[in-house]
Coordinates of all heavy atoms in Angstrom, one line a residue:
M1 N 85.8 159.7 193.9 CA 85.3 160.6 192.9 C 86.1 161.9 192.7 O 86.4 162.6 193.8 CB 83.8 161.0 193.3 CG 82.7 160.2 192.6 SD 82.7 160.4 190.8 CE 81.4 159.2 190.5
E2 N 86.4 162.2 191.4 CA 87.4 163.3 191.3 C 87.0 164.6 191.7 O 87.8 165.3 192.2 CB 87.7 163.3 189.8 CG 88.8 162.4 189.3 CD 88.9 162.2 187.8 OE1 88.6 163.2 187.2 OE2 89.5 161.1 187.5
D3 N 85.6 165.0 191.6 CA 85.2 166.3 191.9 C 84.4 166.4 193.2 O 83.7 167.3 193.4 CB 84.4 166.9 190.7 CG 83.2 166.1 190.4 OD1 83.0 165.0 191.0 OD2 82.5 166.6 189.6
C4 N 84.7 165.3 194.1 CA 84.0 165.4 195.3 C 84.8 166.1 196.4 O 85.9 165.7 196.6 CB 83.7 163.9 195.7 SG 83.1 163.8 197.5
V5 N 84.3 167.0 197.2 CA 85.0 167.9 198.0 C 85.5 167.0 199.1 O 86.6 167.1 199.7 CB 84.2 169.1 198.5 CG1 83.0 168.6 199.3 CG2 85.0 169.9 199.5
F6 N 84.7 166.0 199.6 CA 85.1 165.1 200.7 C 86.3 164.1 200.2 O 87.2 163.8 201.1 CB 84.0 164.3 201.3 CG 82.9 165.2 202.0 CD1 81.7 164.8 202.3 CD2 83.3 166.6 202.5 CE1 80.8 165.6 202.9 CE2 82.4 167.3 203.1 CZ 81.1 166.8 203.4
C7 N 86.2 163.5 199.0 CA 87.2 162.7 198.6 C 88.5 163.4 198.5 O 89.6 163.0 198.7 CB 86.8 162.1 197.2 SG 85.6 160.8 197.4
K8 N 88.4 164.8 198.0 CA 89.5 165.7 197.8 C 90.2 165.9 199.2 O 91.4 165.9 199.3 CB 89.2 167.0 197.2 CG 89.0 166.8 195.6 CD 88.8 168.2 195.1 CE 88.7 168.0 193.5 NZ 88.4 169.2 192.8
R10 N 89.9 163.9 201.8 CA 90.7 162.5 202.2 C 92.0 162.5 201.5 O 92.9 161.9 202.2 CB 89.7 161.5 201.9 CG 90.2 160.2 202.5 CD 89.3 159.0 202.3 NE 88.7 158.9 200.8 CZ 89.4 158.4 199.8 NH1 90.7 157.9 200.1 NH2 88.9 158.3 198.7
I42 N 82.7 161.0 207.8 CA 82.6 160.7 206.4 C 83.2 159.5 206.1 O 84.5 159.2 206.3 CB 83.4 161.9 205.5 CG1 82.9 163.4 205.9 CG2 83.3 161.7 204.2 CD1 83.8 164.4 205.5
P43 N 82.5 158.5 205.6 CA 83.1 157.2 205.1 C 84.1 157.4 204.0 O 83.9 158.3 203.1 CB 82.0 156.4 204.6 CG 80.7 157.2 204.6 CD 81.0 158.6 205.2
N44 N 85.1 156.6 204.0 CA 86.2 156.8 202.9 C 85.6 156.5 201.6 O 86.0 157.2 200.6 CB 87.4 155.7 203.2 CG 88.3 156.3 204.4 OD1 88.1 157.4 204.9 ND2 89.1 155.5 204.9
E45 N 84.8 155.5 201.5 CA 84.1 155.2 200.2 C 83.2 156.1 199.7 O 82.4 156.6 200.5 CB 83.4 153.7 200.4 CG 83.1 153.2 199.1 CD 82.2 151.9 199.3 OE1 81.9 151.5 200.4 OE2 81.8 151.3 198.3
H46 N 83.3 156.6 198.4 CA 82.4 157.5 197.9 C 81.1 156.9 197.4 O 81.1 156.2 196.5 CB 83.1 158.1 196.6 CG 82.2 159.2 196.0 ND1 82.2 160.6 196.3 CD2 81.3 159.0 195.0 CE1 81.3 161.2 195.6 NE2 80.7 160.3 194.9
V47 N 80.1 157.1 198.1 CA 78.7 156.6 197.8 C 78.0 157.9 198.0 O 77.8 158.4 199.1 CB 78.2 155.4 198.8 CG1 76.9 155.0 198.3 CG2 79.3 154.4 198.8
P48 N 77.2 158.3 196.9 CA 76.4 159.5 197.0 C 75.1 159.6 197.9 O 74.9 160.6 198.6 CB 75.8 159.7 195.5 CG 76.7 158.9 194.7 CD 77.2 157.7 195.5
V95 N 76.5 168.0 199.4 CA 77.7 167.2 199.1 C 77.2 165.7 198.9 O 76.7 165.0 199.8 CB 78.8 167.2 200.1 CG1 79.9 166.4 199.6 CG2 79.2 168.6 200.3
G96 N 77.4 165.3 197.6 CA 76.9 163.9 197.1 C 77.9 162.9 197.6 O 78.3 162.1 196.8
H97 N 78.2 162.8 199.0 CA 79.0 161.7 199.5 C 78.4 161.5 200.9 O 78.6 162.4 201.6 CB 80.4 162.3 199.4 CG 81.5 161.3 200.1 ND1 82.8 161.0 199.4 CD2 81.4 160.4 201.1 CE1 83.4 160.1 200.2 NE2 82.6 159.7 201.2
V98 N 77.8 160.4 201.2 CA 77.1 160.1 202.4 C 78.0 160.6 203.5 O 79.2 160.3 203.6 CB 76.8 158.7 202.6 CG1 76.2 158.4 204.0 CG2 75.7 158.3 201.5
Ligands
ZN202 ZN1 83.4 161.5 197.7

Side-chain angles (χ1 to χ4, degrees):
M1 262 298 177
E2 266 166 34
D3 56 354
C4 169
V5 64
F6 292 161
C7 286
K8 283 185 174 173
R10 186 175 49 78
I42 307 165
N44 288 347
E45 190 185 0
H46 179 93
V47 183
V95 177
H97 179 140
V98 171

